[in-house]
Amino acid sequence: MTVNVLDIAKRRGFFWPSFEIYGSCAGFYTYGPLGALLKLRIEELLRDHYVNKEGCLLIEAPILTPEDPWVASGHVESFTDMNVECTKCGEPHRADHLLEDKTRKTAEGMSLNEIMAAISKHDIKCTKCGGTLGEPYDYNMMFKTYIGPGKNKITGCLRPETAQTTYMPFRRLFEIGRKRLPLGVVQFGKAHRNEISPRQGLVRLREFSQAEVQFFMDPASSGKHPKFGSVKRRKFMVLTKGDQKPGRKPAEMTLEALVKKHTTEWIAYHLATAVQLFERMGIPKKYLRVRQHKDDERSFYSSDTWDVEYMSDTFGKIELVGIAARTDYDLKRHQEFSKQKMQVNLDGKTFIPHVIEVAYGIDRPLYSVMESNVKVDGDRVFFSFPPSVSPYQVAVFPLVRKDGLPKLARDVYDTLNGAGFYALYDEGFIGRLYYRQDEAGTPFGVTVDYDTKKDKAVTLRNRDNQKQVRVKIKDLVEVLRKVMSGQLKFEKAGKLIK
Amino acid sequence: MTVNVLDIAKRRGFFWPSFEIYGSCAGFYTYGPLGALLKLRIEELLRDHYVNKEGCLLIEAPILTPEDPWVASGHVESFTDMNVECTKCGEPHRADHLLEDKTRKTAEGMSLNEIMAAISKHDIKCTKCGGTLGEPYDYNMMFKTYIGPGKNKITGCLRPETAQTTYMPFRRLFEIGRKRLPLGVVQFGKAHRNEISPRQGLVRLREFSQAEVQFFMDPASSGKHPKFGSVKRRKFMVLTKGDQKPGRKPAEMTLEALVKKHTTEWIAYHLATAVQLFERMGIPKKYLRVRQHKDDERSFYSSDTWDVEYMSDTFGKIELVGIAARTDYDLKRHQEFSKQKMQVNLDGKTFIPHVIEVAYGIDRPLYSVMESNVKVDGDRVFFSFPPSVSPYQVAVFPLVRKDGLPKLARDVYDTLNGAGFYALYDEGFIGRLYYRQDEAGTPFGVTVDYDTKKDKAVTLRNRDNQKQVRVKIKDLVEVLRKVMSGQLKFEKAGKLIK
């Protein structure tokens, strides 16, 4: 039996194409009830790590901004893709993608003129209607609007990344952080890119969610990381920039070896952290690899960039997080364009801090968590989400809708909810309820039955293997806590029923 | 001593005007570290209530949408304010506000022509430069942009409310909710309104956060609310639509009395819930009142609307939440414009559900929580946030930066953090650390000192009265839980020190 994650996602309300009643619009998705909860959990996991464990400051800046910061950052000039439109039907295409699809060779690094010549040479036509293509041109991917009314209105942009909205208030953040470096700042929020022709579900959206962390540092100390020792022996599948000729495969490498030849401790530490966080979200490590950007692929602001990639059955490699040494490029540009000082005085030195950026998407990890956790077990389909990110951690049902069982089950639900679990109450045919929670990826089910009145116990069901144990209601919170944290094996959690 | 909340907010990093280095832009604010956490807590409190207690489905739809839904909803035609620009300096003004400021009388309900005549009659000039004003005109407050490149691009709008993005997928949500009514759906997210001249800090923003709940119901049963009995004796300060002539004051009224004459149980129940949630956020009830919209003030889609208002020292009355009977207006319009069925078949009837909307702002409650909780105690200034929304619940300090105390304090921090408290670790001069946490509104401080090594206990400080008790480290989690939930008086939590 093959399962299509996108079908389940739509049917069970994880996510679906937005504005369906008006014929949809490429690049926009709506999270339904299960998807919105899954997204919330993933964001909470990242926020908890970066705010509580790494000590980052959390901020939230607007999505819509004046144009000035994007002139300074270079986005107004350089944040472009090559667009080519059909002269007959008007369909827009990414010129480089058309060429790559035709020649099966990368178009990376090719100039507009080279692409134009190649399209003409290969006589490439519109893939929609077969019509003749127009001239390719650089197309800026920022959404623009006007802020304010009438004559005094100014141009506004929807931010294409949160990063610049964290850099702008750097001086204020430096003061709030009591003038210490390194200073970590994290921002969760939406960003927008007016993609030419988005077609990969949650992987390429025009509106998407990010969690971008910016570490501001003294360039003299931006190599060594104080916690590197704790991760240096960890191994990852790695593709360095020298490895990426056709036919070369990623090699397993310790971070220690990686740092010796290829990058800094700071970047290596955050690669390790990111992989660990993806694993905690439930993405098995075997689907993840670490890849360095090649010199002709790196963004204009970066001196060294690495991605953690997920190997998708459906979409090929998906970038989940990008870790980039952005140097002092952005702060220097904002200083130049705003005429406001971005340099700091520290330890007798005056300098503009350098930035290491850890830029997570949220939608792509969410999709990857779903794809890598969909399981087929006979005629049963379930998501094997870990309790740390599953939309619900435990579902509570009465065996039947009468004889006071719903009331008893409600009480159990209230207890679990009050104890901080993400709990759900539902009623119906018990088999169908289990089936529904399997597809929702709920790790545990609790059933209140007629015996409950006598033995004050409930049946606890394990989603992954359908085993069931009998647990006293008074022990349920403690048992669930221990089972979820791995301190207690499910089979030892109570009397085994089947 | 008078305190200015906006000054503290800026200095301590709760929030500040965005894009400062580029000269700012009216209507945009950035939440700094304390503000972003406060906002998160407020959102969590609302989400917990509507999702876990009221059983609403959580969804997340895009901010940027095609124009179609806003044509259907009436926003393209009617979502306007009257703008008048100075012919000399170009400054835009709300025409009705200029007139109201001049005449000290309400301009509500006046037509464009009437306002135009009145401005001319009173010879009103530009308040910025004294120049002559141009002709007032209806100005649409939606931000517009283009989605997609080239010839095939379509008009896009930044949503001015989340509501329509919840209505569009109603049919899908109805299926997911297993075809039951009432169906509650809640959405948290940003919305944008291109205000003509926003000038009241967080109260009138061009980009703001909402939490809008839509209850879809059978119109035949949309009056009675099953839980109304539990709140009917509660009393509120109420201004009904008949009460709002000059000089009339709000009257104290039970919900029972309110429902008898003025509105439905459903609206009354949600008014009570909203007031209770604001109280849980720490806004004292004396600052809150319930007000019905007058007939000429109600939005075009509503048959009955009520607000909960906060009485601000600085900004006058602030609408925190609006509760509106939106009838079947929106779904009917979407059915008409999209040609997709919005009607449901239930209990042998075919009908388009009616909607009761509970529309919270987030930024305004956040500001109101700050303003109503700033306290001056001698030369000490603090925010008396309740632990349910305070950015941090407990701060942990070592008395000195040596002799192993930082390590001990870190361990205490890790324990509290691991137990689910919003904890903060900090080092420095102890008096200054307390002062800083008072301004952050952190209810409790924990100090690790030299005695800690011997007695395995710490000093727990109460922000509100500066009393201190000695508590064993092993009891700290339990003690804090009980003190925060009100089960244990602070003075009984350990040996009183001062």
Side-chain angles (χ1 to χ4, degrees):
Chain A
M1 182 159 104
T2 53
V3 284
N4 185 323
V5 176
L6 295 174
D7 286 346
I8 306 179
K10 206 162 166 175
R11 180 163 48 79
R12 286 309 317 276
F14 279 91
F15 56 82
W16 58 78
S18 302
F19 329 123
E20 285 177 304
I21 61 170
Y22 292 104
S24 296
C25 178
F28 295 91
Y29 272 77
T30 293
Y31 287 103
L34 291 172
L37 289 175
L38 179 58
K39 181 166 184 271
L40 204 62
R41 310 287 182 243
I42 288 173
E43 288 173 336
E44 279 169 358
L45 192 148
L46 290 174
R47 191 163 47 229
D48 175 63
H49 180 81
Y50 286 99
V51 174
N52 296 323
K53 306 296 187 299
E54 303 285 353
C56 295
L57 302 178
L58 180 74
I59 71 164
E60 184 179 320
I63 293 164
L64 175 60
T65 80
E67 197 180 26
D68 317 69
W70 310 105
V71 175
S73 70
H75 283 80
V76 166
E77 197 187 320
S78 309
F79 192 63
T80 56
D81 271 344
M82 290 178 219
N83 184 36
V84 60
E85 285 159 53
C86 175
T87 56
K88 199 169 143 206
C89 73
E91 181 76 2
H93 304 275
R94 280 269 304 254
D96 50 342
H97 287 181
L98 279 184
L99 183 60
E100 286 175 343
D101 290 347
K102 182 81 173 188
T103 64
R104 302 265 147 215
K105 276 191 239 161
T106 179
E108 207 128 31
M110 285 177 76
S111 73
L112 190 62
N113 282 331
E114 287 164 352
I115 295 234
M116 205 184 302
I119 283 183
S120 158
K121 178 184 149 198
H122 293 283
D123 195 28
I124 297 173
K125 301 286 187 193
C126 175
T127 51
K128 192 178 172 193
C129 77
T132 304
L133 296 173
E135 284 211 350
Y137 62 94
D138 280 327
Y139 159 77
N140 194 293
M141 285 190 289
M142 279 195 297
F143 287 103
K144 294 201 176 181
T145 187
Y146 292 108
I147 300 172
K151 273 191 300 227
N152 283 9
K153 66 178 178 282
I154 61 169
T155 297
C157 297
L158 293 180
R159 63 181 180 190
E161 59 171 18
T162 69
Q164 301 303 328
T165 63
T166 301
Y167 301 146
M168 278 190 276
F170 164 69
R171 287 297 314 205
R172 197 171 274 287
L173 294 165
F174 183 64
E175 298 286 329
I176 291 166
R178 281 136 76 190
K179 304 186 181 182
R180 296 172 195 163
L181 293 184
L183 168 71
V185 184
V186 58
Q187 189 170 176
F188 288 74
K190 297 277 181 116
H192 293 78
R193 295 180 184 177
N194 201 357
E195 299 282 351
I196 290 171
S197 181
R199 276 201 193 97
Q200 299 184 279
L202 295 186
V203 176
R204 195 156 298 279
L205 292 171
R206 284 173 167 154
E207 175 170 323
F208 53 98
S209 291
Q210 297 189 302
E212 293 193 316
V213 198
Q214 316 295 331
F215 290 99
F216 301 93
M217 12 226 303
D218 180 344
S221 67
S222 69
K224 298 284 169 194
H225 191 286
K227 291 192 255 178
F228 182 70
S230 66
V231 297
K232 67 183 182 185
R233 299 230 155 69
R234 286 205 201 136
K235 287 180 184 167
F236 300 96
M237 295 307 288
V238 177
L239 264 182
T240 63
K241 62 186 180 186
D243 279 342
Q244 297 177 44
K245 296 183 187 102
R248 296 288 283 271
K249 290 250 160 74
E252 194 170 53
M253 208 183 277
T254 63
L255 286 186
E256 214 166 13
L258 193 68
V259 162
K260 205 163 270 170
K261 275 203 192 162
H262 304 287
T263 191
T264 62
E265 284 188 6
W266 202 276
I267 284 184
Y269 172 81
H270 285 290
L271 283 169
T273 303
V275 169
Q276 201 175 16
L277 290 169
F278 292 134
E279 285 186 81
R280 281 179 49 203
M281 290 175 201
I283 304 177
K285 201 171 166 185
K286 63 179 176 188
Y287 295 122
L288 298 172
R289 72 175 189 193
V290 158
R291 190 178 72 83
Q292 187 176 28
H293 282 209
K294 291 175 288 177
D295 292 332
D296 61 357
E297 168 193 10
R298 251 188 345 256
S299 299
F300 53 92
Y301 49 71
S302 173
S303 65
D304 187 20
T305 302
W306 294 73
D307 292 342
V308 177
E309 295 176 336
Y310 167 75
M311 300 296 123
S312 163
D313 286 342
T314 310
F315 299 116
K317 64 172 189 174
I318 299 176
E319 176 198 335
L320 301 183
V321 65
I323 302 178
R326 293 183 77 139
T327 69
D328 58 359
Y329 175 83
D330 299 282
L331 289 186
K332 205 189 247 171
R333 295 275 291 192
H334 285 300
Q335 173 166 300
E336 188 186 329
F337 282 73
S338 71
K339 315 285 180 220
Q340 303 292 313
K341 259 203 235 169
M342 290 292 173
Q343 65 207 26
V344 302
N345 297 297
L346 216 62
D347 305 326
K349 295 183 293 183
T350 299
F351 59 92
I352 292 180
H354 281 222
V355 169
I356 302 283
E357 176 188 54
V358 183
Y360 288 88
I362 300 293
D363 314 277
R364 292 171 174 190
L366 184 146
Y367 173 77
S368 307
V369 166
M370 288 185 67
E371 192 193 88
S372 62
N373 279 282
V374 69
K375 299 276 157 66
V376 180
D377 170 22
D379 58 354
R380 196 169 71 101
V381 175
F382 66 96
F383 284 109
S384 58
F385 301 139
S388 52
V389 298
S390 55
Y392 297 101
Q393 296 174 317
V394 53
V396 184
F397 318 122
L399 182 67
V400 292
R401 274 198 182 125
K402 55 182 183 177
D403 300 327
L405 298 191
K407 167 78 175 69
L408 280 177
R410 279 266 177 210
D411 289 347
V412 171
Y413 163 80
D414 287 341
T415 303
L416 295 178
N417 205 254
F421 292 106
Y422 303 120
L424 172 85
Y425 174 87
D426 206 354
E427 294 177 359
F429 293 107
I430 202 77
R432 208 175 290 163
L433 292 173
Y434 282 151
Y435 176 83
R436 193 174 284 132
Q437 290 311 312
D438 281 345
E439 277 194 347
T442 309
F444 301 102
V446 166
T447 305
V448 167
D449 54 29
Y450 285 104
D451 287 340
T452 303
K453 292 183 181 183
K454 285 171 275 171
D455 66 0
K456 312 288 180 211
V458 292
T459 297
L460 182 64
R461 174 185 182 264
N462 184 339
R463 170 200 63 198
D464 294 342
N465 55 20
Q466 300 193 77
K467 285 186 179 165
Q468 302 189 344
V469 292
R470 194 79 183 166
V471 179
K472 292 278 181 200
I473 291 174
K474 69 173 173 48
D475 300 332
L476 192 58
V477 166
E478 203 52 33
V479 161
L480 276 170
R481 270 202 193 122
K482 285 185 176 163
V483 169
M484 286 187 195
S485 67
Q487 289 173 270
L488 177 66
K489 273 199 74 162
F490 183 83
E491 289 73 10
K492 307 276 183 195
K495 207 188 141 205
L496 210 60
I497 298 176
K498 79 171 193 186
Chain B
M1 183 159 104
T2 52
V3 283
N4 184 322
V5 176
L6 296 173
D7 285 347
I8 307 179
K10 206 163 168 176
R11 180 163 47 79
R12 285 310 315 279
F14 279 91
F15 56 82
W16 59 77
S18 301
F19 329 123
E20 286 177 303
I21 61 169
Y22 292 105
S24 296
C25 178
F28 295 91
Y29 272 76
T30 293
Y31 287 104
L34 291 172
L37 290 175
L38 180 59
K39 180 165 184 272
L40 204 63
R41 309 288 182 243
I42 288 173
E43 289 172 336
E44 278 168 359
L45 192 148
L46 291 174
R47 191 163 48 229
D48 176 63
H49 180 81
Y50 286 98
V51 174
N52 296 324
K53 307 295 187 300
E54 304 284 353
C56 295
L57 302 179
L58 180 73
I59 70 162
E60 184 180 319
I63 294 164
L64 175 60
T65 81
E67 197 180 25
D68 317 69
W70 310 105
V71 174
S73 70
H75 283 80
V76 166
E77 196 188 322
S78 310
F79 192 62
T80 55
D81 271 345
M82 290 177 219
N83 184 37
V84 60
E85 285 160 52
C86 175
T87 56
K88 201 169 141 206
C89 75
E91 181 75 4
H93 305 274
R94 280 269 305 253
D96 50 341
H97 287 181
L98 279 184
L99 183 61
E100 286 175 344
D101 290 348
K102 181 81 173 192
T103 63
R104 302 266 146 213
K105 277 191 237 159
T106 178
E108 208 127 29
M110 286 176 75
S111 73
L112 190 61
N113 282 332
E114 287 164 352
I115 295 230
M116 206 184 301
I119 283 182
S120 158
K121 177 184 150 200
H122 292 284
D123 196 26
I124 297 173
K125 300 286 186 192
C126 174
T127 50
K128 192 178 172 194
C129 79
T132 304
L133 297 173
E135 284 211 352
Y137 62 94
D138 280 328
Y139 160 77
N140 194 292
M141 285 191 289
M142 280 196 295
F143 287 101
K144 294 202 175 183
T145 186
Y146 292 108
I147 299 172
K151 273 191 301 231
N152 283 9
K153 66 177 179 279
I154 61 168
T155 298
C157 297
L158 293 180
R159 63 180 181 191
E161 59 172 16
T162 69
Q164 301 303 328
T165 63
T166 300
Y167 300 145
M168 278 189 276
F170 164 70
R171 286 296 315 204
R172 198 171 271 289
L173 294 165
F174 183 64
E175 297 287 330
I176 290 166
R178 282 137 75 192
K179 305 186 180 181
R180 296 174 193 161
L181 293 183
L183 168 70
V185 183
V186 56
Q187 189 170 174
F188 288 74
K190 296 277 180 116
H192 293 79
R193 295 180 184 176
N194 201 357
E195 299 282 351
I196 290 170
S197 181
R199 275 198 193 100
Q200 299 184 280
L202 295 186
V203 176
R204 195 157 295 280
L205 292 171
R206 284 172 166 154
E207 175 171 324
F208 53 99
S209 290
Q210 296 190 303
E212 292 193 316
V213 198
Q214 316 295 331
F215 291 99
F216 300 94
M217 14 225 304
D218 180 344
S221 66
S222 70
K224 298 284 168 194
H225 191 286
K227 291 191 253 177
F228 182 70
S230 66
V231 297
K232 66 182 182 186
R233 299 234 152 68
R234 287 206 202 136
K235 287 181 184 167
F236 300 96
M237 295 306 288
V238 177
L239 264 181
T240 63
K241 62 186 179 186
D243 279 342
Q244 297 177 44
K245 306 200 175 86
R248 295 289 282 271
K249 292 245 160 75
E252 195 170 53
M253 207 184 277
T254 64
L255 286 186
E256 216 167 12
L258 194 67
V259 162
K260 205 163 272 173
K261 275 204 193 162
H262 304 287
T263 192
T264 62
E265 284 188 8
W266 203 276
I267 284 184
Y269 172 80
H270 284 290
L271 283 169
T273 303
V275 169
Q276 201 175 16
L277 290 170
F278 292 134
E279 286 186 83
R280 281 178 51 203
M281 291 175 200
I283 304 177
K285 201 171 166 185
K286 64 178 175 188
Y287 295 122
L288 298 172
R289 73 175 190 195
V290 159
R291 190 178 73 81
Q292 187 176 27
H293 282 210
K294 289 175 288 177
D295 292 332
D296 61 355
E297 167 194 13
R298 248 185 352 252
S299 299
F300 54 90
Y301 49 72
S302 173
S303 65
D304 187 20
T305 302
W306 294 73
D307 292 341
V308 177
E309 296 176 334
Y310 167 75
M311 300 296 123
S312 163
D313 287 342
T314 309
F315 298 116
K317 63 172 189 174
I318 299 176
E319 177 198 336
L320 301 184
V321 65
I323 301 177
R326 292 183 76 140
T327 70
D328 59 359
Y329 175 82
D330 299 282
L331 289 186
K332 204 188 248 172
R333 296 274 291 192
H334 284 301
Q335 174 166 299
E336 187 186 330
F337 282 74
S338 72
K339 315 285 180 221
Q340 302 292 313
K341 258 203 234 169
M342 290 292 172
Q343 66 208 27
V344 301
N345 297 299
L346 217 62
D347 306 325
K349 294 182 293 184
T350 300
F351 59 92
I352 292 179
H354 281 222
V355 170
I356 303 282
E357 176 188 56
V358 183
Y360 289 89
I362 301 293
D363 314 277
R364 292 171 175 189
L366 183 147
Y367 173 77
S368 306
V369 166
M370 288 184 67
E371 193 193 88
S372 63
N373 278 281
V374 68
K375 298 277 157 67
V376 180
D377 169 22
D379 59 356
R380 196 168 72 101
V381 175
F382 67 95
F383 284 109
S384 57
F385 301 139
S388 52
V389 297
S390 54
Y392 297 102
Q393 296 175 317
V394 51
V396 184
F397 318 121
L399 182 68
V400 292
R401 274 198 182 123
K402 56 182 183 176
D403 300 325
L405 298 191
K407 167 78 175 69
L408 279 177
R410 279 264 178 211
D411 290 347
V412 171
Y413 164 80
D414 286 341
T415 303
L416 295 177
N417 205 253
F421 292 106
Y422 303 121
L424 171 85
Y425 174 87
D426 206 355
E427 295 177 359
F429 293 107
I430 201 78
R432 209 176 290 164
L433 293 173
Y434 282 150
Y435 176 82
R436 193 174 284 132
Q437 290 310 312
D438 281 345
E439 277 193 348
T442 309
F444 301 101
V446 166
T447 305
V448 167
D449 54 30
Y450 284 104
D451 287 340
T452 303
K453 293 183 182 183
K454 286 170 277 172
D455 67 0
K456 313 287 181 211
V458 293
T459 297
L460 183 64
R461 175 185 181 264
N462 184 338
R463 170 200 63 198
D464 294 341
N465 55 21
Q466 299 193 78
K467 286 185 180 168
Q468 303 188 344
V469 292
R470 194 79 183 167
V471 179
K472 292 279 181 200
I473 292 173
K474 69 174 173 47
D475 301 332
L476 192 58
V477 166
E478 204 49 35
V479 161
L480 276 171
R481 271 203 193 122
K482 286 185 176 160
V483 169
M484 285 188 196
S485 68
Q487 289 173 271
L488 178 66
K489 275 200 72 162
F490 183 83
E491 288 74 11
K492 307 276 182 193
K495 208 189 139 202
L496 209 62
I497 299 176
K498 81 169 192 186

